[in-house]
mmCIF file of all heavy atoms in Angstrom:
data_model
loop_
_atom_site.group_PDB
_atom_site.id
_atom_site.type_symbol
_atom_site.label_atom_id
_atom_site.label_comp_id
_atom_site.label_asym_id
_atom_site.label_seq_id
_atom_site.Cartn_x
_atom_site.Cartn_y
_atom_site.Cartn_z
ATOM 1 N N ALA J 3 -9.515 11.764 -9.639
ATOM 2 C CA ALA J 3 -8.160 12.095 -9.817
ATOM 3 C C ALA J 3 -7.219 10.876 -9.544
ATOM 4 O O ALA J 3 -6.083 10.852 -10.105
ATOM 5 C CB ALA J 3 -7.748 13.243 -9.052
ATOM 6 N N SER J 12 -1.366 -0.294 -10.799
ATOM 7 C CA SER J 12 -1.687 -1.686 -10.829
ATOM 8 C C SER J 12 -1.057 -2.481 -12.027
ATOM 9 O O SER J 12 -0.474 -3.557 -11.897
ATOM 10 C CB SER J 12 -3.226 -1.887 -10.879
ATOM 11 O OG SER J 12 -3.808 -1.368 -9.694
ATOM 12 N N ALA J 23 8.204 -14.199 -12.089
ATOM 13 C CA ALA J 23 8.394 -13.673 -10.756
ATOM 14 C C ALA J 23 8.554 -14.775 -9.756
ATOM 15 O O ALA J 23 7.904 -15.808 -9.766
ATOM 16 C CB ALA J 23 7.197 -12.821 -10.396
ATOM 17 N N THR J 24 9.424 -14.503 -8.780
ATOM 18 C CA THR J 24 9.606 -15.412 -7.685
ATOM 19 C C THR J 24 8.645 -14.916 -6.530
ATOM 20 O O THR J 24 8.129 -13.781 -6.601
ATOM 21 C CB THR J 24 10.988 -15.380 -7.083
ATOM 22 O OG1 THR J 24 11.281 -14.070 -6.638
ATOM 23 C CG2 THR J 24 11.994 -15.829 -8.171
ATOM 24 N N LEU J 42 6.032 9.619 -0.026
ATOM 25 C CA LEU J 42 5.397 10.616 -0.916
ATOM 26 C C LEU J 42 4.164 11.230 -0.302
ATOM 27 O O LEU J 42 3.948 12.439 -0.402
ATOM 28 C CB LEU J 42 5.021 10.021 -2.282
ATOM 29 C CG LEU J 42 6.193 9.950 -3.222
ATOM 30 C CD1 LEU J 42 5.795 9.064 -4.413
ATOM 31 C CD2 LEU J 42 6.675 11.301 -3.688
ATOM 32 N N TRP J 45 5.165 13.666 2.463
ATOM 33 C CA TRP J 45 5.754 14.830 1.790
ATOM 34 C C TRP J 45 4.532 15.674 1.195
ATOM 35 O O TRP J 45 4.490 16.836 1.403
ATOM 36 C CB TRP J 45 6.759 14.456 0.719
ATOM 37 C CG TRP J 45 7.225 15.663 -0.060
ATOM 38 C CD1 TRP J 45 8.078 16.631 0.370
ATOM 39 C CD2 TRP J 45 7.111 15.860 -1.438
ATOM 40 N NE1 TRP J 45 8.343 17.480 -0.693
ATOM 41 C CE2 TRP J 45 7.781 17.016 -1.790
ATOM 42 C CE3 TRP J 45 6.396 15.151 -2.515
ATOM 43 C CZ2 TRP J 45 7.834 17.539 -3.083
ATOM 44 C CZ3 TRP J 45 6.443 15.690 -3.770
ATOM 45 C CH2 TRP J 45 7.123 16.847 -4.061
ATOM 46 N N PRO J 57 0.742 16.594 -8.507
ATOM 47 C CA PRO J 57 1.699 15.567 -8.958
ATOM 48 C C PRO J 57 2.179 14.649 -7.864
ATOM 49 O O PRO J 57 2.365 13.429 -7.994
ATOM 50 C CB PRO J 57 2.829 16.390 -9.467
ATOM 51 C CG PRO J 57 2.313 17.671 -9.803
ATOM 52 C CD PRO J 57 1.174 17.895 -8.922
ATOM 53 N N LEU J 68 1.174 -0.394 -6.815
ATOM 54 C CA LEU J 68 1.942 -1.465 -7.459
ATOM 55 C C LEU J 68 1.511 -2.815 -6.839
ATOM 56 O O LEU J 68 1.930 -3.838 -7.323
ATOM 57 C CB LEU J 68 3.401 -1.242 -7.173
ATOM 58 C CG LEU J 68 4.106 -0.056 -7.831
ATOM 59 C CD1 LEU J 68 5.562 0.129 -7.302
ATOM 60 C CD2 LEU J 68 4.081 -0.167 -9.373
ATOM 61 N N GLY J 71 -1.649 -6.850 -8.260
ATOM 62 C CA GLY J 71 -1.331 -8.038 -9.088
ATOM 63 C C GLY J 71 -0.273 -8.882 -8.344
ATOM 64 O O GLY J 71 -0.570 -10.065 -8.099
ATOM 65 N N PRO J 72 0.878 -8.318 -7.945
ATOM 66 C CA PRO J 72 1.861 -9.205 -7.298
ATOM 67 C C PRO J 72 1.407 -9.791 -5.970
ATOM 68 O O PRO J 72 1.630 -10.962 -5.709
ATOM 69 C CB PRO J 72 3.067 -8.173 -7.045
ATOM 70 C CG PRO J 72 2.855 -7.110 -8.036
ATOM 71 C CD PRO J 72 1.443 -6.993 -8.250
ATOM 72 N N ILE J 77 -0.381 -14.569 -2.852
ATOM 73 C CA ILE J 77 -1.398 -15.243 -2.043
ATOM 74 C C ILE J 77 -1.834 -16.524 -2.719
ATOM 75 O O ILE J 77 -1.872 -17.601 -2.098
ATOM 76 C CB ILE J 77 -2.600 -14.386 -1.750
ATOM 77 C CG1 ILE J 77 -2.205 -13.190 -0.782
ATOM 78 C CG2 ILE J 77 -3.762 -15.174 -1.149
ATOM 79 C CD1 ILE J 77 -3.268 -12.125 -0.642
ATOM 80 N N ARG J 86 -8.273 -20.505 -0.985
ATOM 81 C CA ARG J 86 -7.872 -19.279 -1.692
ATOM 82 C C ARG J 86 -8.803 -18.184 -1.540
ATOM 83 O O ARG J 86 -8.428 -17.008 -1.291
ATOM 84 C CB ARG J 86 -7.549 -19.609 -3.169
ATOM 85 C CG ARG J 86 -6.666 -18.606 -3.826
ATOM 86 C CD ARG J 86 -6.112 -19.002 -5.124
ATOM 87 N NE ARG J 86 -5.021 -20.010 -4.880
ATOM 88 C CZ ARG J 86 -4.642 -20.979 -5.636
ATOM 89 N NH1 ARG J 86 -5.339 -21.141 -6.777
ATOM 90 N NH2 ARG J 86 -3.733 -21.842 -5.371
ATOM 91 N N ALA J 89 -8.498 -16.658 1.818
ATOM 92 C CA ALA J 89 -7.279 -15.877 1.929
ATOM 93 C C ALA J 89 -7.369 -14.470 1.280
ATOM 94 O O ALA J 89 -6.934 -13.496 1.874
ATOM 95 C CB ALA J 89 -6.145 -16.669 1.269
ATOM 96 N N PHE J 90 -8.004 -14.419 0.133
ATOM 97 C CA PHE J 90 -8.211 -13.109 -0.538
ATOM 98 C C PHE J 90 -9.125 -12.201 0.357
ATOM 99 O O PHE J 90 -8.885 -11.061 0.502
ATOM 100 C CB PHE J 90 -8.764 -13.239 -1.966
ATOM 101 C CG PHE J 90 -7.826 -13.846 -2.950
ATOM 102 C CD1 PHE J 90 -8.179 -14.845 -3.765
ATOM 103 C CD2 PHE J 90 -6.461 -13.399 -2.994
ATOM 104 C CE1 PHE J 90 -7.261 -15.425 -4.682
ATOM 105 C CE2 PHE J 90 -5.561 -13.978 -3.904
ATOM 106 C CZ PHE J 90 -5.961 -14.983 -4.774
ATOM 107 N N ILE J 92 -9.530 -12.330 3.561
ATOM 108 C CA ILE J 92 -8.828 -11.935 4.783
ATOM 109 C C ILE J 92 -7.822 -10.771 4.435
ATOM 110 O O ILE J 92 -7.703 -9.814 5.179
ATOM 111 C CB ILE J 92 -8.072 -13.093 5.398
ATOM 112 C CG1 ILE J 92 -9.052 -14.071 6.027
ATOM 113 C CG2 ILE J 92 -7.038 -12.661 6.464
ATOM 114 C CD1 ILE J 92 -8.583 -15.405 6.467
ATOM 115 N N PRO J 106 -9.418 7.477 10.346
ATOM 116 C CA PRO J 106 -10.141 8.793 10.502
ATOM 117 C C PRO J 106 -10.277 9.259 11.921
ATOM 118 O O PRO J 106 -10.017 10.486 12.221
ATOM 119 C CB PRO J 106 -11.549 8.420 9.895
ATOM 120 C CG PRO J 106 -11.203 7.325 8.926
ATOM 121 C CD PRO J 106 -10.145 6.514 9.627
ATOM 122 N N THR J 112 -5.913 13.869 16.487
ATOM 123 C CA THR J 112 -4.541 14.517 16.347
ATOM 124 C C THR J 112 -4.680 15.910 15.834
ATOM 125 O O THR J 112 -4.077 16.865 16.396
ATOM 126 C CB THR J 112 -3.583 13.661 15.448
ATOM 127 O OG1 THR J 112 -3.517 12.329 15.972
ATOM 128 C CG2 THR J 112 -2.233 14.280 15.457
ATOM 129 N N ALA J 143 4.060 -2.708 4.590
ATOM 130 C CA ALA J 143 5.367 -3.015 4.038
ATOM 131 C C ALA J 143 6.170 -3.986 4.979
ATOM 132 O O ALA J 143 6.792 -4.917 4.497
ATOM 133 C CB ALA J 143 6.157 -1.771 3.824
ATOM 134 N N PRO J 158 7.459 -19.683 -10.579
ATOM 135 C CA PRO J 158 6.318 -19.151 -11.405
ATOM 136 C C PRO J 158 5.522 -20.320 -11.988
ATOM 137 O O PRO J 158 6.072 -21.397 -12.238
ATOM 138 C CB PRO J 158 7.027 -18.333 -12.410
ATOM 139 C CG PRO J 158 8.421 -18.401 -12.264
ATOM 140 C CD PRO J 158 8.661 -19.300 -11.031
ATOM 141 N N GLY J 163 -0.561 -20.922 -21.251
ATOM 142 C CA GLY J 163 -1.039 -19.617 -20.771
ATOM 143 C C GLY J 163 -0.049 -18.959 -19.794
ATOM 144 O O GLY J 163 -0.259 -17.856 -19.311
ATOM 145 N N HIS J 164 1.043 -19.640 -19.377
ATOM 146 C CA HIS J 164 1.983 -19.122 -18.503
ATOM 147 C C HIS J 164 3.402 -19.003 -19.025
ATOM 148 O O HIS J 164 4.323 -19.065 -18.218
ATOM 149 C CB HIS J 164 1.972 -19.960 -17.142
ATOM 150 C CG HIS J 164 0.705 -19.918 -16.497
ATOM 151 N ND1 HIS J 164 0.297 -18.809 -15.722
ATOM 152 C CD2 HIS J 164 -0.283 -20.802 -16.333
ATOM 153 C CE1 HIS J 164 -0.901 -19.090 -15.174
ATOM 154 N NE2 HIS J 164 -1.250 -20.288 -15.540
#
Side-chain angles (χ1 to χ4, degrees):
S12 295
T24 64
L42 278 168
W45 177 65
L68 292 173
I77 291 169
R86 198 164 287 152
F90 290 135
I92 291 167
T112 303
H164 294 286

